[in-house]
């Protein structure tokens, strides 16, 4: 009797507590106000045909104005956005999505299945030659069965297909077909979506301003009246802007370890962090000497002491990585094929090569870029390799990468709910974004099989085998696991997990 009474009392208490917790956010959320976000980069635009692939700055802006069919919940699982529900065929090759009714683009035209179909077909059209097309090459066709039903037919099974539609990127955000056709080349800087905010003004290199969408389908949102996005490439300038009140939220990473620690010790500030999957990496152009010799590539990798690098560059904050998946991924490898850290063996491989080892490495023309360059240069010089530092503006980094105009270049594998999209794009023969210029039939076979296997354990085996080939051939090398950071004023509330480093303030509010 006593136990039952206690249990019932606990249940009643729990239910009351749950109700209070559930009610608290709604009661606490305040409407109004303006929020300013400091970005790492200026935004190149939003038309996939013009920009090819969105960077993190564009992703952050896209969350405000554009939407995807599916989004991620706090557990990293797919949840409804512009699509209310979805189902698949038994072989996972056909996926049917039921769309949200009564949604309009900012220009007043209806969002429907035809708009979704038009966006994807425009990207896939060979005449448009969009670099974005490779990321959706698995989609054979997309059909509008009626206004609110869209059906994807895939070349290969995709067991996690809804999760692949969640990133606010060049492929998955839905734009107004009417606006694209009306604006032509000008659309790149005049995006029209269904999102909670509408573009108000945009001054290149200075600021992009969005204002509350009065016709947003979720009548309770957004909470803010206005969001201002400001490109502030210099980390110290971003932090100073936060301290002075010029910005409310700023993008950050491990290279700003000192600022992150200062923010953690400042009661007026907060540090938002998310330990994700993926890694900071470097791609080696395997078609240019001396990097076309695997001995040289292995030597460069084996010369690196990641713990010392982390200490020198991030006060030990950055977590060393040995594969492309990271602790946040469901892919866990017992053997990822990582080469040992062995400067002595690295020097022997350089000597065995028998010719001078000299090459260039591309870094951003920023203080952190310079610091990283000097660390790499010193470690490689100790084993007999001469690296010339080439500093470039951040905006020229992606074009140089995609045009293969580099010897070694820094890059990043960002968080995806499934590794397939990025791994296939980065390493499969013929991919326009396979930066290493490397082709391997066995690697291709594993990449193809991993994307068609429903069994997660078997997929893990394939992805670990893929890691072993990449590591042994030393075509890319991983430095640090992805951990994402943002620093914000304490009054900023409602920012979700920083999936893929994207600071989503579309649902934020000010206390």
């Amino acid at each position: 009797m006593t136990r039952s009474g206690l249990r019932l009392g606990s249940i009643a208490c729990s239910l009351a507590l749950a109700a209070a917790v559930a009610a608290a956010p709604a009661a606490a959320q305040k409407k109004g106000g303006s929020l300013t976000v400091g970005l790492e980069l200026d935004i190149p635009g939003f038309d996939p045909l013009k920009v090819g692939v969105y960077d993190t700055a564009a992703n952050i802006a896209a969350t405000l104005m554009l939407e995807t069919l599916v989004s991620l919940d706090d557990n990293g699982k797919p949840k409804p956005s512009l699509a209310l529900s979805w189902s698949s065929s038994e072989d996972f090759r056909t996926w049917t999505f039921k769309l949200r009714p009564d949604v309009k683009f900012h220009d007043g035209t209806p969002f429907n299945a035809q708009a979704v179909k038009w966006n994807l077909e425009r990207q896939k059209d060979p005449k448009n030659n969009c670099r974005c097309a490779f990321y959706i090459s698995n989609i054979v066709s997309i059909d509008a069965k009626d206004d609110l039903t869209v059906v994807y037919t895939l070349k290969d099974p995709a067991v996690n297909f809804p999760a692949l539609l969640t990133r606010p990127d060049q492929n998955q955000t839905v734009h107004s077909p009417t606006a694209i056709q009306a604006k032509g080349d000008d659309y790149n800087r005049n995006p029209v979506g269904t999102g909670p905010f509408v573009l108000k003004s945009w001054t290149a290199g200075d600021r992009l301003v969005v204002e509350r969408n009065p016709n947003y389908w979720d009548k309770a949102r957004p909470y803010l009246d206005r969001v201002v996005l400001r490109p502030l490439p210099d980390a110290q300038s971003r932090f100073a802007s936060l301290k002075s009140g010029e910005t409310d939220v700023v993008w950050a990473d491990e290279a700003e370890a000192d600022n992150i620690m200062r923010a953690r010790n400042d009661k007026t500030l907060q540090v938002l962090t998310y330990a994700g999957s993926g890694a900071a990496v470097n791609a080696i152009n395997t078609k240019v000497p001396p990097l076309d010799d695997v001995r040289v590539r292995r030597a460069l990798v084996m010369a690196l002491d990641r713990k010392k690098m982390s200490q020198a560059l991030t006060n030990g904050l950055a977590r060393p990585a040995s594969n492309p998946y990271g602790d946040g991924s469901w892919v866990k490898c017992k053997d990822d094929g990582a080469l040992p850290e062995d400067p002595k063996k690295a020097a022997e491989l350089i000597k065995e090569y028998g010719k001078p080892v000299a090459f260039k490495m591309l870094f951003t023309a920023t203080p952190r870029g310079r610091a990283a360059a000097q660390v790499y240069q010193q470690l490689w010089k100790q084993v007999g390799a001469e690296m010339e530092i080439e500093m470039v503006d951040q905006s020229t980094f992606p074009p140089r990468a995609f045009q293969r105009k580099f010897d070694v270049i820094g890059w990043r594998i960002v968080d995806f709910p499934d590794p397939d999209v990025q791994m296939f794009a980065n390493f499969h023969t013929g991919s326009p974004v396979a930066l290493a210029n490397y082709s391997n039939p066995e690697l291709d076979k594993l990449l193809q099989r991993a994307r068609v296997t429903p069994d997660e354990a078997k997929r893990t085996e394939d992805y670990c085998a893929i890691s072993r080939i990449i590591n042994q051939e030393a075509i890319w090398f991983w430095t640090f696991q992805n951990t994402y950071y943002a620093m914000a004023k304490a009054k900023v509330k409602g920012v979700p997990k920083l999936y893929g480093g994207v600071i989503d303030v579309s649902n934020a509010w000010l206390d």
Side-chain angles (χ1 to χ4, degrees):
M1 179 69 184
T2 307
R3 287 181 181 176
S4 297
L6 284 171
R7 190 168 67 87
L8 287 169
S10 299
I11 291 171
C13 183
S14 298
L15 287 172
L17 205 58
V21 169
Q29 288 156 349
K30 297 177 182 177
K31 286 203 169 187
S34 178
L35 182 143
T36 301
V37 183
L39 304 177
E40 178 199 19
L41 300 169
D42 198 5
I43 300 164
F46 296 92
D47 186 347
L49 268 55
K50 296 285 185 185
V51 301
V53 179
Y54 285 7
D55 58 22
T56 304
N59 290 142
I60 291 171
T63 62
L64 299 169
M65 298 177 285
L66 305 163
E67 293 183 292
T68 54
L69 298 191
V70 186
S71 58
L72 292 176
D73 65 18
D74 280 345
N75 297 314
K77 302 298 183 184
K79 69 174 183 178
S81 183
L82 288 177
L84 290 175
S85 63
W86 46 85
S87 59
S88 76
S89 59
E90 288 187 14
D91 63 0
F92 298 105
R93 278 191 170 94
T94 303
W95 285 85
T96 301
F97 291 80
K98 294 293 185 180
L99 305 183
R100 188 180 295 277
D102 303 319
V103 175
K104 292 189 182 298
F105 290 105
H106 301 155
D107 58 7
T109 58
F111 161 78
N112 51 32
Q114 289 81 4
V116 178
K117 174 183 170 70
W118 189 91
N119 272 262
L120 266 292
E121 288 185 342
R122 177 174 182 258
Q123 294 176 30
K124 288 179 69 65
D125 188 342
K127 295 176 186 174
N128 290 331
N129 196 31
C130 187
R131 198 166 68 239
C132 62
F134 190 84
Y135 290 93
I136 50 175
S137 59
N138 193 35
I139 299 173
V140 174
S141 66
I142 179 167
D143 297 305
K145 294 299 184 185
D146 56 50
D147 283 354
L148 297 177
T149 307
V150 64
V151 179
Y152 291 79
T153 301
L154 310 180
K155 180 171 64 176
D156 297 320
V159 293
N160 281 346
F161 187 65
L164 299 179
L165 305 183
T166 59
R167 188 166 175 78
D169 62 17
Q170 67 286 340
N171 297 118
Q172 309 311 335
T173 49
V174 185
H175 304 249
S176 163
T178 303
I180 290 176
Q181 292 172 90
K183 296 177 184 294
D185 288 344
D186 292 337
Y187 181 80
N188 191 44
R189 298 187 63 82
N190 292 277
V192 176
T194 60
F197 292 89
V198 179
L199 180 65
K200 178 67 175 178
S201 64
W202 188 359
T203 305
D206 180 44
R207 66 191 61 214
L208 184 154
V209 181
V210 296
E211 293 188 346
R212 191 178 194 277
N213 177 6
N215 302 311
Y216 189 51
W217 55 263
D218 184 347
K219 300 305 179 187
R221 295 176 50 216
Y223 305 112
L224 297 166
D225 291 329
R226 180 184 295 103
V227 178
V228 180
L229 303 178
R230 296 190 58 202
L232 300 168
D234 180 70
Q236 295 307 321
S237 296
R238 278 199 306 276
F239 187 65
S241 75
L242 182 68
K243 288 287 291 178
S244 69
E246 292 177 22
T247 57
D248 302 295
V249 185
V250 295
W251 185 93
D253 66 9
E254 292 101 333
E256 300 173 55
D258 290 346
N259 290 340
I260 289 171
M261 293 310 297
R262 289 189 190 103
R264 282 178 172 163
N265 293 324
D266 187 331
K267 290 181 180 179
T268 68
L269 302 177
Q270 58 178 315
V271 176
L272 309 173
T273 181
Y274 172 64
S277 57
V281 300
N282 293 272
I284 299 175
N285 191 338
T286 63
K287 289 292 188 285
V288 298
L291 305 174
D292 55 352
D293 192 298
V294 69
R295 293 170 297 181
V296 174
R297 300 197 301 268
R298 286 175 177 168
L300 297 183
V301 178
M302 295 169 76
L304 301 178
D305 184 328
R306 289 167 180 79
K307 287 185 179 178
K308 284 184 179 178
M309 291 170 65
S310 175
Q311 196 60 47
L313 297 172
T314 72
N315 286 343
L317 199 61
R319 302 172 299 148
S322 60
N323 64 57
Y325 311 116
D327 289 347
S329 173
W330 52 263
V331 178
K332 308 291 183 187
C333 299
K334 293 179 180 177
D335 176 15
D336 60 13
L339 295 169
E341 293 177 357
D342 190 339
K344 184 179 178 183
K345 177 64 176 175
E348 290 173 0
L349 287 170
I350 296 285
K351 190 175 181 181
E352 183 184 318
Y353 176 65
K355 289 179 280 188
V357 171
F359 59 95
K360 292 182 179 181
M361 186 168 177
L362 219 56
F363 294 90
T364 54
T366 60
R368 66 176 184 172
R370 193 172 296 108
Q374 291 168 349
V375 170
Y376 280 109
Q377 191 177 53
Q378 182 180 1
L379 290 170
W380 282 332
K381 188 172 185 178
Q382 290 172 359
V383 300
E386 295 294 328
M387 182 268 280
E388 180 183 341
I389 299 169
E390 184 178 2
M391 309 288 286
V392 299
D393 185 79
Q394 296 211 28
S395 63
T396 66
F397 227 75
R400 286 284 298 271
F402 295 130
Q403 294 165 20
R404 312 299 192 278
K405 292 181 178 178
F406 66 88
D407 295 340
V408 182
I409 191 169
W411 208 241
R412 185 180 289 276
I413 290 185
V414 299
D415 285 41
F416 264 77
D418 192 278
D420 170 56
V421 176
Q422 289 196 101
M423 295 303 289
F424 199 88
N426 288 324
F427 301 109
H428 195 277
T429 300
S431 165
V433 293
L435 304 185
N437 268 335
Y438 176 83
S439 178
N440 182 323
E442 178 60 23
L443 183 57
D444 289 345
K445 179 183 174 183
L446 288 164
L447 287 164
Q448 289 161 3
R449 190 171 67 192
R451 63 174 12 190
V452 303
T453 304
D455 186 280
E456 195 171 278
K458 290 180 179 177
R459 294 187 79 206
T460 295
E461 289 176 13
D462 282 343
Y463 281 121
C464 292
I466 289 165
S467 173
R468 288 192 288 273
I469 291 175
I470 296 167
N471 277 330
Q472 291 300 310
E473 290 294 309
I475 60 174
W476 286 40
F477 60 92
W478 334 101
T479 49
F480 305 121
Q481 296 186 46
N482 284 346
T483 306
Y484 299 106
Y485 296 92
M487 295 178 285
K489 292 290 188 183
K491 65 180 180 179
V492 177
K493 308 293 182 183
V495 180
K497 290 181 179 178
L498 307 175
Y499 291 121
V502 176
I503 308 169
D504 181 359
V505 297
S506 65
N507 202 31
W509 51 282
L510 300 173
D511 193 2

